[in-house]
Amino acid sequence: MNDKNSSAPSPTHVPPYGSHLIRLSLKEWIVAAAILSVFYFLLPPFWNRLEPLNIGTDYRIPYKLSEDYWIFDRYAQQSAAQGRTLIVGDSVIWGEYVTPEQTLAHCLNQINGAEFCANLGVNGIHPIALAGLLEYFGNALANQQVILHFNPLWMSSPERDLQIEKEFRFNHPKLVPQFYPAIPCYRATFSERASAVMERDVTFFGWANHLRVAYFDNLDIPSWTLEHPYADPLTTLTQPHFEPSRDLRHEQQSWQVSGIPQQDFDWVDLSSSMQWRFFQKALDTLQQRGNKVLVLVGPFNEHMLKERSLLAYRNIKNGVSEWLQKNKVDALIPEPLPSELYGDASHPLKEGYERLAQTISQRFPNKITLSH
């Protein structure tokens, strides 16, 4: 006869409730934390040794990698180490209507007969985002020669200046201030804002974003595998695509041939412009790091402006010029190019870059040199 009481487990031997089958001891937790820490802190820098980034002649960041700030950081580091003059700005510097062999950087190099300049233009990088790019991913820009471009187009409407209260989608939202100062038209959730801060401030998350943009079509791996059910993610990681964009994004023809009409832009006041305020911040960041900065303003396509808009733009241009002079900033505000040398409101065509490079070389020959 069995004694039921003797076969029942003692209450002292009943394990506490838990959803996991395996439980780690304190010692095992410490070992696991140590392994994860090594992975967390060492893998991102080690990855740069495995991943080739060969910046040959006339390199520019591929268009599809415009939001891969990890690549911008690496490209800036390599260019700075070579002592080049670093040309920073938006698609005007990147070369929206031209090939890599026709950009401002190329034209300056051609005039000087050597690879003195690096094209650090990033497509769509308005001044508010540019300030964030330089602050979080531009540490290599220190004690260098820098040409910083200001495109007045970003002040041509309250929407472009990001002043409006209504939600408005804009480029590079991860680079703008996430919590303070507030961007009125930015409607990201708390989770999205916190994620952006983590990618900017924590190397591991910045590296993870790089993998997502550069290898997985800007998707997380589960989403990417749904789009590519037969592809191997590990194989994809061995196939970097960092070649410079050589395809033309637009036909090389003037705005008039393209049929773009004259514009009546609703310019914002310089005193209330968010884009201008953050451009000043970007300039201050570069100067605080010991860079010798030449500010290049425009040249904007004034031929494309209707009379009222042209008057408002010239007031802005005069205000920008006065501020730069007052603060003793080396600056070039060239006269507008001939009308037929613009592809749209702000982007020169090939010959426009050649003329602009001639002007810079004649006015500031000491800016186009190797810094060491």
Side-chain angles (χ1 to χ4, degrees), residues 56 148 156 217:
L148 178 63
S156 62
D217 303 332

Side-chain angles (χ1 to χ4, degrees), residues 3-57:
D3 184 350
K4 294 181 179 180
N5 291 332
S6 64
S7 63
S10 168
T12 58
H13 295 120
V14 176
Y17 174 77
S19 59
H20 302 291
L21 181 62
I22 301 176
R23 297 164 186 272
L24 300 183
S25 65
L26 177 60
K27 184 177 180 181
E28 290 168 334
W29 272 114
I30 293 173
V31 172
I35 294 173
L36 287 175
S37 296
V38 170
F39 183 79
Y40 187 85
F41 290 108
L42 298 184
L43 184 57
F46 181 68
W47 180 263
N48 285 347
R49 296 176 180 271
L50 300 176
E51 184 182 62
L53 178 62
N54 302 314
I55 54 168
T57 303

Side-chain angles (χ1 to χ4, degrees), residues 327-365:
N327 289 278
K328 299 180 180 179
V329 178
D330 287 337
L332 176 61
I333 308 179
E335 293 298 315
L337 299 165
S339 177
E340 66 274 16
L341 299 188
Y342 287 99
D344 56 24
S346 61
H347 297 99
L349 300 174
K350 174 177 176 291
E351 190 179 342
Y353 284 115
E354 292 171 352
R355 292 199 183 197
L356 184 55
Q358 289 285 355
T359 302
I360 295 173
S361 294
Q362 290 167 4
R363 294 280 302 278
F364 295 95

Side-chain angles (χ1 to χ4, degrees), residues 145-159:
Q145 295 275 10
V146 176
I147 297 178
L148 178 63
H149 180 249
F150 177 64
N151 185 353
L153 181 71
W154 299 111
M155 297 175 57
S156 62
S157 72
E159 288 84 358

Side-chain angles (χ1 to χ4, degrees), residues 27-275:
K27 184 177 180 181
E28 290 168 334
W29 272 114
I30 293 173
V31 172
I35 294 173
L36 287 175
S37 296
V38 170
F39 183 79
Y40 187 85
F41 290 108
L42 298 184
L43 184 57
F46 181 68
W47 180 263
N48 285 347
R49 296 176 180 271
L50 300 176
E51 184 182 62
L53 178 62
N54 302 314
I55 54 168
T57 303
D58 297 323
Y59 188 80
R60 64 179 177 184
I61 295 174
Y63 177 78
K64 72 171 189 174
L65 302 184
S66 296
E67 295 190 358
D68 186 350
Y69 311 122
W70 183 274
I71 286 297
F72 174 87
D73 187 18
R74 288 188 62 192
Y75 179 30
Q77 287 182 41
Q78 290 192 26
S79 300
Q82 295 168 354
R84 295 189 190 188
T85 295
L86 309 175
I87 310 180
V88 180
D90 63 8
S91 53
V92 171
I93 298 303
W94 188 84
E96 185 76 1
Y97 282 78
V98 297
T99 66
E101 298 80 15
Q102 298 168 340
T103 62
L104 178 62
H106 171 86
C107 294
L108 287 168
N109 288 334
Q110 195 169 41
I111 290 172
N112 290 280
E115 288 278 324
F116 284 172
C117 298
N119 179 353
L120 264 63
V122 177
N123 227 288
I125 196 81
H126 50 87
I128 300 177
L130 177 64
L133 180 72
L134 295 177
E135 180 175 355
Y136 299 107
F137 300 95
N139 287 327
L141 282 77
N143 304 311
Q144 304 291 325
Q145 295 275 10
V146 176
I147 297 178
L148 178 63
H149 180 249
F150 177 64
N151 185 353
L153 181 71
W154 299 111
M155 297 175 57
S156 62
S157 72
E159 288 84 358
R160 288 196 177 99
D161 201 62
L162 307 188
Q163 289 189 7
I164 60 171
E165 294 291 337
K166 182 180 178 182
E167 183 176 7
F168 179 70
R169 295 187 179 276
F170 52 87
N171 299 319
H172 303 286
K174 293 182 178 179
L175 293 176
V176 306
Q178 297 300 311
F179 298 104
Y180 183 83
I183 306 296
C185 59
Y186 186 38
R187 293 288 191 273
T189 64
F190 177 83
S191 174
E192 292 169 331
R193 293 171 190 262
S195 174
V197 171
M198 294 289 280
E199 288 178 13
R200 295 186 319 203
D201 292 339
V202 181
T203 303
F204 181 83
F205 293 109
W207 169 72
N209 181 64
H210 161 60
L211 297 187
R212 185 165 54 244
V213 175
Y215 295 94
F216 299 109
D217 303 332
N218 212 12
L219 299 171
D220 55 46
I221 291 182
S223 301
W224 184 86
T225 54
L226 289 176
E227 296 285 336
H228 306 84
Y230 302 108
D232 179 0
L234 293 178
T235 302
T236 301
L237 285 173
T238 65
Q239 301 169 345
H241 306 285
F242 303 144
E243 301 82 9
S245 301
R246 300 197 175 278
D247 296 333
L248 283 173
R249 288 190 25 84
H250 304 279
E251 285 193 61
Q252 291 186 312
Q253 59 188 23
S254 74
W255 63 284
Q256 292 163 310
V257 173
S258 297
I260 301 175
Q262 278 195 308
Q263 302 290 313
D264 191 15
F265 289 134
D266 185 17
W267 296 96
V268 300
D269 290 336
L270 194 62
S271 59
S272 63
S273 171
M274 293 183 63
Q275 297 286 12

